Amino acid sequence: MARPPEFDREEAIASAIRVFARQGFEAASTRDLIEGIGIGRQSLYGAFGDKRGLFLEALRHYSAGSLAQMRVALAKGTAAESIKAALLVGLGSSGDVESGCLGVGSIVEFSRSDPEINALNDDAATAVVTAFAGRVRAGMEAGEFDAELDPEAAARMLLILRSGLKVAARGGASNSELGDAADLALCSIVRR
């Protein structure tokens, strides 16, 4: 009979996210993960199967957490205020290389070469677009946004901007620069 893991699975995944965000999938060795998580090799394999299994679970967990942060931001304030907050929440920074976006990092590292990673990233993107589109529709109904907007197209633009903001934050862009970019994007959908 297998022994239950002697570690907190959620903490282990959070630690793995930091290792993968810092190093990427390929560069993160099993040893790096074991040291970063603080568990033994057998525990890692017993709980996650292998490095890839751990990465997939970390990516799933990261995406869910990022979406939850965005949904909280989208629920507060006017449509424009909430969209700006959702664009800027949880971007990470160049000062903390472990705060990078695991989703964007996996897209850069794998492109479209891995069907399982593609599926996870596609599901995450669909959820983000759906969340943004709902808030854009609310802004249109309130007269805050241009009534002729295509909410899905606007939401896809916001998803692309958010991905770019994450890269810019990791590259050293200041909060002010990131906020200015979000403001400029919102100018394209605000009713004139």
Side-chain angles (χ1 to χ4, degrees):
M1 185 158 113
R3 290 181 4 179
E6 296 178 11
F7 61 90
D8 182 300
R9 189 176 185 87
E10 292 299 311
E11 281 182 29
I13 293 169
S15 296
I17 288 170
R18 290 190 293 276
V19 173
F20 286 129
R22 180 178 61 242
Q23 295 179 240
F25 174 78
E26 220 31 71
S29 68
T30 302
R31 180 181 196 87
D32 295 330
L33 290 163
I34 289 167
E35 290 174 3
I37 297 171
I39 63 174
R41 182 178 301 272
Q42 285 307 109
S43 293
L44 184 139
Y45 289 121
F48 303 104
D50 58 12
K51 179 175 122 173
R52 178 180 166 70
L54 175 58
F55 182 78
L56 292 171
E57 191 159 341
L59 180 57
R60 206 174 289 112
H61 186 85
Y62 176 86
S63 297
S66 180
L67 181 61
Q69 285 182 314
M70 287 184 58
R71 285 184 172 145
V72 167
L74 285 170
K76 299 176 184 171
T78 66
E81 291 166 346
S82 68
I83 288 172
K84 180 177 179 179
L87 286 169
L88 298 175
V89 70
L91 294 181
S93 73
S94 62
D96 179 6
V97 295
E98 293 182 345
S99 67
C101 177
L102 207 56
V104 171
S106 69
I107 291 167
V108 170
E109 187 168 355
F110 291 95
S111 185
R112 296 296 290 178
S113 67
D114 187 298
E116 283 183 279
I117 292 171
N118 294 348
L120 290 173
N121 285 327
D122 291 349
D123 288 348
T126 297
V128 169
V129 167
T130 299
F132 274 137
R135 203 59 172 118
V136 168
R137 276 190 206 86
M140 292 169 67
E141 291 167 8
E144 190 177 348
F145 295 156
D146 186 336
E148 300 301 312
L149 276 177
D150 174 341
E152 282 72 27
R156 286 189 300 274
M157 182 264 305
L158 294 168
L159 167 66
I160 292 167
L161 175 62
R162 181 162 163 79
S163 298
L165 290 171
K166 288 181 175 196
V167 172
R170 183 94 183 243
S174 70
N175 289 340
S176 173
E177 292 167 329
L178 299 168
D180 289 347
D183 287 335
L184 188 57
L186 286 169
C187 286
S188 70
I189 63 175
V190 171
R191 186 175 194 163
R192 299 185 201 314

